[in-house]
Amino acid sequence: MSSPRVGVLALQGDTREHLAALREAGVDAIPVRRRDELESVDGLVIPGGESTTMSHLLRDLDLLEPLRARLADGLPAYGACAGMILLASEILDAGAGGREAVPLCAIDMTVRRNAFGRQVDSFEGDLQFVGLDDPVHAVFIRAPWVERTGADVQVLAEAAGHTVAVRQGPMLATAFHPEMTGDCRIHRMFVDIVKGQV
Ligand code: GLN
């Protein structure tokens, strides 16, 4: 199989670090801002940032429905932090005033936006992660947590008693930011998922 092409949604947020981590994991990685770019990728990373702003930009750039359609069609996706929020089927504390975060409904889960943020804005910790031998050093920044998972969702990691990483088929999500620590194992895991699909 030829090397897959993986996109990073580049509307806002820390796209550069994800592109670097994907390249390190051995794939062709491109920023995605337009519909033709979205159509050209075999997998998509939705980075951290601000889920309300990203939702607004997705609508403004006419990417919201094309992205929903590709995800419904099984495009593998990995969402980190704000990206996890967007991949959910239900968002609690989604925001107000017409600038709410919109669920892309790719993973059957309910997430609470800024859940850890209400307790402490950011924190770090070492987590056991299903499928990885050594713990992951996880950086949480105004992070969500997962309050409900559907029957087909596998919990991959927990922090402080809350679910913070999940997988459902070709969809992966973490409440933390692996791109910030130079540890590419979660990006590699996602690349393996993408390779299994193309
Ligand atoms: N709190 C942000 C949101 O609601 C997520 C923060 C992050 O991505 N680091 O989208």
Side-chain angles (χ1 to χ4, degrees):
M1 185 204 61
S2 64
S3 174
R5 168 185 277 191
V6 178
V8 178
L9 191 66
L11 307 180
Q12 189 244 0
D14 57 347
T15 55
R16 242 185 349 181
E17 293 82 355
H18 282 287
L19 288 166
L22 289 166
R23 285 172 189 144
E24 174 106 11
V27 289
D28 178 20
I30 63 157
V32 168
R33 293 187 193 87
R34 297 192 319 255
R35 191 164 173 172
D36 58 326
E37 292 164 340
L38 175 63
E39 299 306 336
S40 80
V41 294
D42 303 304
L44 184 71
V45 172
I46 306 181
E50 177 48 58
S51 53
T52 54
T53 305
M54 277 197 257
S55 299
H56 185 71
L57 290 169
L58 280 170
R59 259 206 207 94
D60 256 22
L61 298 168
D62 287 328
L63 281 173
L64 184 59
E65 291 314 321
L67 177 53
R68 276 211 176 111
R70 283 225 65 192
L71 292 171
D73 206 35
L75 176 74
Y78 165 45
C81 201
M84 170 187 249
I85 295 170
L86 293 175
L87 288 178
S89 49
E90 187 184 16
I91 303 170
L92 305 176
D93 291 341
R99 293 192 71 101
E100 296 88 358
V102 296
L104 296 169
C105 301
I107 299 179
D108 180 13
M109 65 177 173
T110 302
V111 298
R112 186 174 294 279
R113 202 174 137 256
N114 296 340
F116 285 112
R118 256 174 310 188
Q119 298 172 358
V120 50
D121 256 9
S122 80
F123 66 99
E124 303 184 16
D126 291 335
L127 308 180
Q128 293 298 328
F129 198 102
V130 172
L132 299 178
D133 290 340
D134 296 322
V136 171
H137 187 71
V139 179
F140 295 85
I141 304 167
R142 290 181 63 72
W145 66 46
V146 180
E147 290 201 1
R148 180 198 63 85
T149 48
D152 295 334
V153 178
Q154 184 188 11
V155 173
L156 300 179
E158 295 184 345
H162 300 284
T163 296
V164 293
V166 294
R167 175 172 176 185
Q168 182 177 13
M171 311 295 173
L172 184 67
T174 62
F176 56 88
H177 290 263
E179 78 286 359
M180 290 179 68
T181 56
D183 176 353
C184 292
R185 287 177 297 163
I186 291 174
H187 289 81
R188 277 210 186 90
M189 182 180 283
F190 180 56
V191 164
D192 286 343
I193 293 172
V194 173
K195 284 182 174 164
Q197 302 279 314
V198 289

